[in-house]
Amino acid sequence: MERTRTVFIIVIGLFLAALAAVSLLDEQYLLVSFALVVAALLPFFVRFEWKELQAREIVLIGMLAAIAAVSRVPFSAIPSVQPTTFVIIVSALVFGAETGFLIGALAALVSNMFLGQGPWTPWQMFAWGMAGWSAGLLRHFSWMHKRWGMAAFGFVWGFLFGWIMNVWVAVGLLDSFAWHSLLTIYASSVYFDLAHALSNVFFLVVFGTGWIRILHRYKRKYGLLE
């Protein structure tokens, strides 16, 4: 029943976003994209609101989101290098897809309180949320708990995160859509995407196994988010 309601909300949200796109498509790309991203985020937060969680489980999610957010701030001087994606991935591997999505989305929102909010924030919330969501969905595969598996996953998401954010750049900065402009944006982001991917690999290889062991111990001891 709960999943049915979630699917219903997703359908309604996408339908409303489609209506907005049809009515505002006349070069209102930024507004339409904002509506689409919010429509994609909303079902996850509604589903979380419906779940029955203990207070300590909510505290755990808030704590991990805070760690992911704050860890981004000291690295802000180094473009695309930060441990935020690492924290999101290892949290999702232990606590599941929905928790991973929430930690990723909240980490973007909270960290931008220090680094600057803007129309890019929902895109970052979606991108980091989907990194956590996909990591949680794959957590039952044994290769995801090996160093090389986590490293490969983190490397791929370094580029996927950048590619998602490139869409925001295109709709936010371009006066009119053109394929050559979009290709230029993607080509110019390769350095930053590679830096993000390699930093994910570093943090996951060096710290991933230890963090997962600690989080699993905490989960078993207190029976959290089973």
Side-chain angles (χ1 to χ4, degrees), residues 163 166 180-193:
W163 293 347
N166 286 346
H180 65 86
S181 299
L182 185 63
L183 292 176
T184 301
I185 291 172
Y186 274 82
S188 62
S189 73
V190 170
Y191 167 79
F192 302 98
D193 299 338

Side-chain angles (χ1 to χ4, degrees), residues 20-107:
V22 171
S23 60
L24 300 171
L25 193 56
D26 185 20
E27 297 189 2
Q28 299 295 325
Y29 305 117
L30 181 59
L31 184 58
V32 171
S33 69
F34 186 85
L36 289 172
V37 172
V38 171
L41 289 169
L42 186 61
F44 293 95
F45 288 101
V46 172
R47 182 171 171 81
F48 173 76
E49 183 66 24
W50 283 339
K51 293 183 69 173
E52 295 183 4
L53 296 174
Q54 303 178 46
R56 57 187 179 180
E57 292 175 328
I58 297 175
V59 170
L60 174 66
I61 294 173
M63 180 187 69
L64 290 173
I67 292 173
V70 172
S71 66
R72 182 184 171 201
V73 177
F75 290 85
S76 59
I78 310 175
S80 299
V81 175
Q82 35 69 28
T84 303
T85 310
F86 152 74
V87 177
I88 294 167
I89 290 173
V90 295
S91 300
L93 288 176
V94 176
F95 297 109
E98 291 182 0
T99 301
F101 181 90
L102 285 169
I103 292 172
L106 291 175

Side-chain angles (χ1 to χ4, degrees), residues 134-200:
S134 57
L137 292 179
L138 297 174
R139 68 188 179 123
H140 296 297
F141 291 92
S142 60
W143 59 268
M144 272 295 285
H145 295 274
K146 300 182 184 298
R147 279 192 171 90
W148 67 265
M150 288 189 293
F153 182 84
F155 186 84
V156 169
W157 259 104
F159 282 90
L160 289 179
F161 182 92
W163 293 347
I164 292 172
M165 294 307 299
N166 286 346
V167 178
W168 133 250
V169 174
V171 300
L173 301 182
L174 295 181
D175 294 330
S176 59
F177 179 81
W179 283 109
H180 65 86
S181 299
L182 185 63
L183 292 176
T184 301
I185 291 172
Y186 274 82
S188 62
S189 73
V190 170
Y191 167 79
F192 302 98
D193 299 338
L194 181 61
H196 188 181
L198 293 177
S199 68
N200 290 346

